[in-house]
Amino acid sequence: MTQQDQQVRPFSAVLTEIGGGKIHARLSAQLAELTAAVRDTGKKGEITIKVRVEPLKKADQNTLVVTASSTAKVPEGDDASPTSVFFADASGNLRRDDPTQPQLPLAIVPGKATA
């Protein structure tokens, strides 16, 4: 029998049977999450599927263990890693105001509208 004569089983059919369909369900959820994140952020993402096939026993070439895993690289929005500038004081505490700069004595002038 030549390779052209062989019927190749679709990958998707095998994927739905690995782990009782758990990897297929996981991939479906990851794809939905990835699609939403790409639309929201305008950034690219990806899903990687890894399939490992190994013999169950070395003496039996026809009984195989198939393991599948997936990882998703979902893009995050610009607000996922917010940044602020802080100053460290002598004790190592973080402060918003520079502790080495004197504070200006500000006062509200009566009768003036504030914006």
Side-chain angles (χ1 to χ4, degrees):
M1 182 181 278
T2 66
Q3 271 190 327
Q4 292 176 345
D5 296 333
Q6 293 179 350
Q7 180 69 24
V8 176
R9 187 164 184 226
F11 180 77
S12 59
V14 175
L15 191 63
T16 59
E17 294 179 354
I18 298 172
K22 290 179 183 174
I23 191 67
H24 186 265
R26 175 181 166 88
L27 284 163
S28 297
Q30 285 176 325
L31 182 58
E33 179 187 11
L34 176 62
T35 301
V38 168
R39 289 182 65 200
D40 290 346
T41 65
K43 298 176 183 177
K44 67 180 178 178
E46 65 184 39
I47 296 174
T48 303
I49 305 167
K50 182 177 179 180
V51 178
R52 184 177 63 236
V53 180
E54 58 188 322
L56 180 63
K57 297 179 182 177
K58 293 188 189 246
D60 183 3
Q61 295 177 352
N62 293 323
T63 305
L64 306 172
V65 176
V66 180
T67 306
S69 61
S70 64
T71 54
K73 293 183 182 178
V74 179
E76 295 182 330
D78 294 334
D79 60 344
S81 300
T83 303
S84 295
V85 174
F86 287 86
F87 298 92
D89 65 15
S91 300
N93 297 306
L94 294 176
R95 304 193 177 275
R96 297 291 287 156
D97 296 319
D98 186 347
T100 64
Q101 296 292 319
Q103 296 291 321
L104 295 175
L106 299 177
I108 296 175
V109 177
K112 297 288 184 179
T114 58

